[in-house]
């Protein structure tokens, strides 16, 4: 329920996001669909610009504050897909109540 503190991993994640934005290109049909998606949100420019500027200045303390305000101590639901013969139910029960679902309940077919 606590976020691990790793300045090194945080910086690596920031660098990866910055590099992805710097190398990402919107082309061909993506131009229209990206424009349309932004229009639907009332955004009249490339939203990546905001992300790029904010990610450069974000500090680990900012992320930790967000985590504490919006994520910490919340209840979660986990969905684990897999061969039930290969899953250790006792480990899953440590997270909380375990309910096995049918394929129908998961995929609605």
């Amino acid at each position: 329920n606590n976020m691990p503190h790793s300045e090194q991993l945080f910086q690596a994640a920031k660098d990866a996001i910055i590099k992805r934005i710097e190398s990402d290109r919107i082309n061909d049909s993506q131009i229209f669909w990206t424009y349309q998606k932004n229009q639907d949100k009332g955004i009249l420019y490339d939203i990546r610009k905001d992300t790029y500027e904010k990610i450069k200045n974000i500090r680990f303390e900012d992320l930790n504050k967000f985590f504490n305000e919006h994520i910490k101590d919340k209840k979660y639901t986990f969905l684990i897909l897999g061969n039930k013969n290969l899953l250790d139910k006792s480990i899953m029960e440590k997270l909380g109540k375990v309910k096995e679902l049918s394929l129908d309940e998961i995929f609605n077919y």
Side-chain angles (χ1 to χ4, degrees), residues 59-96:
R59 299 168 303 140
F60 184 82
E61 292 77 23
D62 300 324
L63 180 63
N64 196 43
K65 180 181 177 197
F66 179 87
F67 177 85
N68 289 333
E69 290 175 3
H70 300 284
I71 298 172
K72 188 174 183 167
D73 297 325
K74 303 286 191 239
K75 293 185 180 191
Y76 299 96
T77 300
F78 296 93
L79 173 65
I80 301 170
L81 293 173
N83 182 335
K84 66 181 175 182
N85 297 324
L86 300 176
L87 299 173
D88 188 342
K89 196 171 181 180
S90 64
I91 292 174
M92 292 186 294
E93 288 172 340
K94 291 178 184 177
L95 295 171

Side-chain angles (χ1 to χ4, degrees), residues 5 17 20 27 44 53-55 57 62 65 69 71-73 78 81 83-84 88 97 100 103 105:
H5 184 89
I17 292 168
R20 181 175 180 189
N27 50 29
L44 304 176
E53 293 303 320
K54 287 182 181 180
I55 202 75
N57 299 318
D62 300 324
K65 180 181 177 197
E69 290 175 3
I71 298 172
K72 188 174 183 167
D73 297 325
F78 296 93
L81 293 173
N83 182 335
K84 66 181 175 182
D88 188 342
K97 180 182 169 191
E100 188 175 323
L103 290 175
E105 292 172 299

